[in-house]
Amino acid sequence: EKLGNLQTLDLSHNDIEASDCCNLQLRNLSHLQTLNLSHNELLGLQSQAFKECPRLELLDLAFTRLHINAPQSPFQNLHFLQVLNLTYCFLDTSNQHLLAGLPDLRHLNLKGNHFQDGTIMKTNLLQTVGSLEILILSSCGLLSIDQQAFHGLGKMSHVDL
């Protein structure tokens, strides 16, 4: 309660593990803009897993194994999120709704997350993030990318394969 005005929280490298993250743990942190949960253990994410922190602009989950426990996006209420680091999170990249509800997302790092059959299909999880400018897909084991896979990503200026 006394941290209600906190804007930056770095909990990286803490061996954090939670089957239902992160609303209870982040309660009363509605002013939080930067959250670093990188290099932790398994985190289970429900729908709107970060609804207690609607002002997040940067979310770093790199090298933290994520288990998405919902058909909808755990990030869907993060309307101000600009940077999302999901490096080596062992994501289910076939979930087309994973990134839904991120209208301001500019920088997405998916490094080390594999796509089914090494292919980014025409219909994919990237189609909901039209504001994307920088996309990192290195070390994803990609063998092919459909010609229409990035259709709708008109603001894209940098892709790292």
Side-chain angles (χ1 to χ4, degrees):
E1 291 179 22
K2 299 190 190 285
L3 298 175
N5 290 321
L6 189 68
Q7 293 182 353
T8 300
L9 180 59
D10 187 342
L11 295 170
S12 61
H13 298 275
N14 275 298
D15 296 323
I16 295 171
E17 185 171 348
S19 60
D20 187 5
C21 187
C22 292
N23 285 316
L24 179 62
Q25 297 89 340
L26 300 174
R27 186 181 308 159
N28 297 323
L29 295 179
S30 61
H31 290 98
L32 203 61
Q33 295 175 346
T34 301
L35 177 59
N36 186 345
L37 289 168
S38 66
H39 298 272
N40 280 296
E41 300 300 322
L42 178 67
L43 294 181
L45 302 179
Q46 306 289 339
S47 285
Q48 296 187 7
F50 300 94
K51 72 179 176 186
E52 292 289 329
C53 308
R55 296 182 184 170
L56 275 180
E57 295 176 10
L58 184 149
L59 177 57
D60 189 348
L61 294 161
F63 298 95
T64 297
R65 189 178 190 104
L66 299 178
H67 180 69
I68 311 300
N69 298 321
Q72 296 177 329
S73 171
F75 313 112
Q76 66 188 356
N77 65 310
L78 299 177
H79 303 292
F80 300 105
L81 196 70
Q82 295 179 25
V83 178
L84 180 58
N85 187 351
L86 298 171
T87 301
Y88 288 100
C89 286
F90 300 95
L91 294 171
D92 176 9
T93 56
S94 66
N95 178 352
Q96 296 177 24
H97 305 289
L98 181 66
L99 303 172
L102 297 172
D104 277 349
L105 192 65
R106 307 273 186 258
H107 184 134
L108 176 62
N109 191 336
L110 290 172
K111 180 178 181 174
N113 291 287
H114 292 276
F115 289 78
Q116 187 173 1
D117 299 325
T119 302
I120 299 181
M121 305 297 286
K122 177 181 178 179
T123 305
N124 62 69
L125 75 165
L126 301 171
Q127 297 188 334
T128 61
V129 286
S131 60
L132 208 56
E133 296 172 5
I134 299 170
L135 176 61
I136 312 297
L137 293 169
S138 57
S139 303
C140 288
L142 291 174
L143 301 172
S144 67
I145 299 173
D146 187 276
Q147 288 181 341
Q148 298 295 314
F150 299 148
H151 183 73
L153 300 178
K155 295 182 179 182
M156 185 94 70
S157 62
H158 180 87
V159 178
D160 182 352
L161 298 174

